[in-house]
Amino acid sequence: MKSLGFGKILREIRIKNNISQRELAEIVGCGQSAICKLENGTSEISIETFVKIAEHLNVSPAYLLEHRGHQVIENNEKQEQFKTRAEELKNEFDYKGLEALIQENEGEEFLEISFMQKMILRFKGVCAYYNLKKDALAFRYLEQALKKKAQSIQDHYQNIETHTSIGIIHYEQENYSLAMRSFEKARVIAKRYTTIRSDKIYIRVLYNASLVNSHMGNHRKAFRHLNEAIKINREAHSSFIMHVLYYQKAYSYNKLEDVKNCERCLEISKKLAEAFDIKTYLPFTDAMTFVVEMNKTGRWERNGKWLIDYKNNDIFNLYTIHIEETRKDISEEVLGDLEIEIEFPNMAGSNKSRDEVQLKLTKR
């Protein structure tokens, strides 16, 4: 049989003993708000106070502790399930699904913990931006998440994630200075804590910071962020987004016209993607390989069939690149009437799948 939560049990026993929250608070030496929060499951108490409450409610501490234990275990399980599913939906760009998940669980006791409240506000902000296209509302939710006091390491994790979300929105809006400021705030928090500094979340912050620096033309700074992320991975014997980190290095080397290092990083990125069977990422490395060839020759060549003039040096000015698997044969006679049109979906907010067609040959 499923046990009642500790807060509900405490309230039932208190009412049964005809004791108000105020009276119980005076007896054990705390404020009425503390008893209220305890019954709502949003606060913790010391062992000493716990024993006092049990004594004055005429129940054994073991009886209350048993229910408290069940509640903690149950809430922890629910929290993990919610976090896992929410992150999956976010990573799949399914913001409508994420919004529905939040609505389904609104008011649940396991969401009342501080870091979960921060998480919910962060997700609400992300959903407001991508689903409703309401920037102001999105920023309001995200700022509310940051204003909640950080009392645990999990709270700090959420603050980093929130600063990162704010940075990504600014980045998508091409407000690069504001984006860099947000990623820097996330980086400062992460560097305070050893456990976070060696975690995946910090690597993502460094990666995002490198993107912004690249678009601002600060490629040397981008290299510093990327090299730090790669070093953390190596020290932890981790491969976390290593193929992406090397791809981004190739991007900056390409912008600096350093063909040798660009090709070297591309080769590493491609081998990592193949080794870990990340097939959806291979179009990225293929695309950059074509870019390098175009920079070398000034012409676009593919499969020995197509030869198209390279018109625009900034055509690959964003970090996500997909190549269309076009099956149509194009004769040499019509090549002069065609031009390359590249579409760059946003990795953070695009609803498009990674294998979606992006390179198009269109009539001039």
Side-chain angles (χ1 to χ4, degrees), residues 171 176 180 209-223 248 251-253 255-256 314 317:
Y171 171 76
Y176 297 133
M180 195 67 241
S210 76
L211 294 180
V212 177
N213 275 317
S214 292
H215 289 295
M216 295 175 73
N218 300 326
H219 297 293
R220 300 301 174 188
K221 287 184 178 180
F223 285 136
Q248 189 60 28
Y251 172 89
S252 285
Y253 278 127
K255 283 294 184 180
L256 294 171
D314 290 324
N317 65 337

Side-chain angles (χ1 to χ4, degrees), residues 323-334:
I323 295 298
E324 178 181 20
E325 293 300 330
T326 304
R327 303 302 178 194
K328 180 180 177 183
D329 289 327
I330 302 176
S331 63
E332 296 243 29
E333 292 77 32
V334 299

Side-chain angles (χ1 to χ4, degrees), residues 207-270:
Y207 170 65
N208 282 311
S210 76
L211 294 180
V212 177
N213 275 317
S214 292
H215 289 295
M216 295 175 73
N218 300 326
H219 297 293
R220 300 301 174 188
K221 287 184 178 180
F223 285 136
R224 283 202 295 272
H225 291 311
L226 292 166
N227 289 335
E228 184 179 357
I230 290 169
K231 181 182 177 183
I232 292 169
N233 264 337
R234 285 176 174 167
E235 289 175 350
H237 305 289
S238 170
S239 61
F240 179 65
I241 67 167
M242 283 288 268
H243 59 296
V244 182
L245 298 173
Y246 274 103
Y247 172 85
Q248 189 60 28
K249 286 189 73 171
Y251 172 89
S252 285
Y253 278 127
N254 181 61
K255 283 294 184 180
L256 294 171
E257 299 182 357
D258 186 340
V259 175
K260 183 177 179 180
N261 279 317
C262 178
E263 290 179 320
R264 178 180 62 82
C265 289
L266 269 177
E267 187 63 24
I268 294 172
S269 178
K270 189 169 185 176

Side-chain angles (χ1 to χ4, degrees), residues 112-284:
E112 295 300 323
I113 306 301
S114 175
F115 79 91
M116 293 299 289
Q117 290 180 347
K118 281 177 170 287
M119 179 188 291
I120 291 297
L121 287 168
R122 172 167 65 90
F123 285 147
K124 282 184 175 181
V126 170
C127 290
Y129 177 70
Y130 291 114
N131 292 341
L132 305 177
K133 312 300 181 187
K134 293 184 177 180
D135 301 2
L137 180 60
F139 285 124
R140 190 154 63 245
Y141 277 129
L142 293 167
E143 290 298 335
Q144 285 176 11
L146 292 173
K147 285 178 181 178
K148 283 188 171 293
K149 187 176 180 181
Q151 299 175 322
S152 67
I153 194 71
Q154 294 190 79
D155 287 338
H156 291 297
Y157 265 97
Q158 288 306 314
N159 282 350
I160 293 171
E161 292 280 22
T162 302
H163 282 302
T164 300
S165 295
I166 293 172
I168 288 172
I169 292 175
H170 284 312
Y171 171 76
E172 291 182 7
Q173 296 175 337
E174 299 184 6
N175 296 323
Y176 297 133
S177 296
L178 292 176
M180 195 67 241
R181 191 181 305 170
S182 294
F183 293 137
E184 187 59 28
K185 287 178 180 178
R187 199 174 72 87
V188 168
I189 297 172
K191 287 183 77 69
R192 290 186 199 147
Y193 304 95
T194 305
T195 53
I196 298 179
R197 201 164 60 242
S198 59
D199 195 86
K200 292 177 180 179
I201 189 175
Y202 184 47
I203 294 174
R204 286 200 300 269
V205 170
L206 291 170
Y207 170 65
N208 282 311
S210 76
L211 294 180
V212 177
N213 275 317
S214 292
H215 289 295
M216 295 175 73
N218 300 326
H219 297 293
R220 300 301 174 188
K221 287 184 178 180
F223 285 136
R224 283 202 295 272
H225 291 311
L226 292 166
N227 289 335
E228 184 179 357
I230 290 169
K231 181 182 177 183
I232 292 169
N233 264 337
R234 285 176 174 167
E235 289 175 350
H237 305 289
S238 170
S239 61
F240 179 65
I241 67 167
M242 283 288 268
H243 59 296
V244 182
L245 298 173
Y246 274 103
Y247 172 85
Q248 189 60 28
K249 286 189 73 171
Y251 172 89
S252 285
Y253 278 127
N254 181 61
K255 283 294 184 180
L256 294 171
E257 299 182 357
D258 186 340
V259 175
K260 183 177 179 180
N261 279 317
C262 178
E263 290 179 320
R264 178 180 62 82
C265 289
L266 269 177
E267 187 63 24
I268 294 172
S269 178
K270 189 169 185 176
K271 285 181 177 179
L272 286 167
E274 289 173 341
F276 293 98
D277 199 27
I278 311 173
K279 295 177 181 177
T280 53
Y281 203 78
L282 293 178
F284 287 73

